């Protein structure tokens, strides 16, 4: 057994302890609920805690495992759900006040898949209003457990906080412009943004349907692979899901990365990027080379114009998603989401076509690039984690906001899968983060590469200063 305290053990380790009778899901769930009661009042990651239901689930898992029934690596493992996942057993507000009391008549497909796999749902996790950039003015935003004065990322903020603080073993996030990747980066986590369509969005509140991705946020690549293996796959209720078979993402984790071609565009990843980020990325590149990867110089496709189109594209689809409540209930919206919707409602067909064409050009160029490489190495953010004060200053400068999106938004446009990995600590002891990006349906390669990197480094084992 590892030396990690119970709340920081990996999903794969906890799962093994359950299966071999060394721990029971009910005692782990009770310990996790006690920790939530102790700490979440400081960090505000949970929108709803489902203590009684979670304990009932955990006791059923105790009984099943004692009888030799084994549902897989999530059996009995306590997790959290971002509060845009429909649940019949708890309200699904999506970060809004309009839907504060909305209890759906069905579960999101991913919720059913997680619970059929034996996962214990501790609760629903806070998020920004409608999964856009800011929390509703009437809601207490989650606080970063590494340092409450620092940004905690965007919409999957609650998922980042509770997973990092050891208030669950893994969580579900969503990503439209970076909202799996930013909270993973700011909280020292590993997150997988799958290929668009790899994971069903049935029963998931949309921000912008053609950009939205749903995926796991965990403390290691192995844990993220375990969760992704449960939620991925075709869904009759979501015709946009991909019909490709789902591999066993855990099976090949230990195969290493010798000979894997990893592309690096030093202009894209270094020019205008904070020196601390560049230095850590160079260290990561050297480590990947030492592990046997073939590092190749590449030229990344032109991306600036597409990044500048992310807000317009998001605005169009968000306006469509909110037709049922906006403008009829406009007064109940926070200012940032309302402004986005207003922008979308004012967009012309010609402007929409221009975005669509730019998206097609970039996606084609990126697909061609992946003919020569297997993965791409880039930072998650161009700067170390900003303070909340600095983020407030950024909010008045659209150029800075677009700079922050340069390594994330384009891969929502293209639907490309990515894995976000801790790669160091900045001078303020806050996490630094990188991404590996792959061609469509390469999540198995991304998980293997992430695991290889984490087997040779310990950045993913660093914890916020709570214990």
């Amino acid at each position: 057994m590892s030396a990690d305290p119970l709340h920081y053990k990996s999903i794969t380790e906890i799962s093994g302890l359950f299966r071999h009778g060394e721990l029971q899901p009910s005692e782990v769930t009770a310990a996790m609920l006690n920790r939530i009661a102790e700490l979440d009042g400081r960090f505000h990651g949970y929108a709803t805690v489902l203590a009684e239901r979670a304990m009932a689930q955990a006791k059923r898992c105790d009984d099943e495992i004692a009888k030799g029934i084994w549902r897989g690596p999530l059996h009995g493992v306590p997790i959290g759900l971002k509060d845009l996942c429909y649940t019949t057993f708890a309200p699904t507000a999506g970060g809004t006040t309009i839907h504060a009391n909305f209890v759906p008549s069905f579960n999101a497909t991913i919720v059913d898949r997680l619970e059929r796999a034996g996962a214990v749902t501790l609760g629903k996790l806070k998020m920004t209003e409608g999964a856009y950039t800011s929390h509703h003015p009437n809601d207490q935003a989650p606080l970063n457990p590494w340092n409450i004065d620092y940004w905690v990322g965007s919409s999957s903020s609650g998922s980042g906080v509770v997973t990092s603080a050891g208030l669950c073993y893994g969580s579900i996030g969503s990503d439209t412009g970076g909202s799996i990747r930013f909270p993973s980066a700011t909280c020292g986590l590993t997150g997988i943004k799958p290929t668009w369509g790899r994971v069903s969005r049935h029963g998931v509140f949309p921000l912008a349907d053609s950009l939205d991705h749903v995926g796991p946020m965990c403390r290691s690549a192995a844990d993220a692979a375990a969760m992704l293996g449960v939620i991925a796959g075709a869904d009759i209720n979501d015709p946009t899901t991909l019909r490709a078979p789902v591999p066993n993402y855990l099976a090949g984790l230990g195969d290493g990365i010798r000979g894997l071609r990893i592309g690096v565009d030093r202009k894209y990843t270094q020019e205008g990027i904070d020196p601390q980020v560049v230095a850590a990325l160079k260290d990561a590149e050297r480590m990947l080379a030492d592990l046997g990867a073939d590092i190749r110089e590449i030229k990344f496709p032109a991306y600036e114009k597409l990044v500048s189109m992310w807000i317009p594209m998001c605005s169009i689809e968000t306006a469509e998603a909110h037709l049922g409540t906006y403008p009829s209930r406009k007064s109940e919206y926070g200012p940032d989401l309302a402004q986005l919707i207003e922008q979308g409602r004012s967009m012309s067909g010609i402007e929409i076509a221009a975005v669509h064409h730019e998206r097609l050009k970039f996606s084609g160029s990126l697909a061609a690039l992946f003919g020569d490489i297997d993965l791409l190495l880039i930072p998650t953010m161009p700067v170390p984690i900003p303070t909340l004060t600095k983020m407030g200053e950024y909010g008045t400068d659209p150029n800075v906001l677009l700079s922050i999106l340069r390594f994330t938004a384009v891969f929502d446009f293209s639907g490309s899968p990515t894995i976000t990995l801790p790669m160091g600590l900045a001078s303020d002891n806050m996490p630094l983060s990188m991404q590996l990006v792959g061609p469509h349906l390469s999540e198995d390669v991304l998980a293997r590469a992430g695991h290889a990197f984490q087997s040779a480094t310990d950045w993913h084992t660093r914890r916020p200063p709570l214990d």
Side-chain angles (χ1 to χ4, degrees), residues 298-347:
I298 54 97
K299 182 173 174 55
F300 192 69
Y303 66 93
E304 294 90 346
K305 186 175 181 181
L306 188 62
V307 171
S308 73
M309 291 176 162
W310 181 83
I311 292 175
M313 184 67 186
C314 190
S315 74
I316 300 161
E317 298 197 18
T318 305
E320 189 275 333
H322 287 259
L323 284 173
T325 52
Y326 194 101
S328 60
R329 300 177 67 177
K330 178 179 178 179
S331 63
E332 298 173 64
Y333 279 73
D336 292 339
L337 184 57
Q339 182 180 13
L340 181 73
I341 293 172
E342 289 289 353
Q343 180 174 344
R345 292 170 66 88
S346 69
M347 292 281 289

Side-chain angles (χ1 to χ4, degrees), residues 339-395:
Q339 182 180 13
L340 181 73
I341 293 172
E342 289 289 353
Q343 180 174 344
R345 292 170 66 88
S346 69
M347 292 281 289
S348 72
I350 292 174
E351 291 172 308
I352 295 169
V355 177
H356 179 61
H357 294 158
E358 192 65 26
R359 181 181 194 173
L360 290 175
K361 287 189 291 184
F362 174 82
S363 298
S365 298
L366 185 63
L369 177 64
F370 281 122
D372 298 320
I373 59 172
D374 300 303
L375 299 178
L376 178 70
L377 173 63
I378 60 173
T380 308
M381 296 167 56
V383 293
I385 303 168
T387 63
L388 293 174
T389 300
K390 181 63 72 175
M391 282 304 296
E393 296 171 2
Y394 287 170

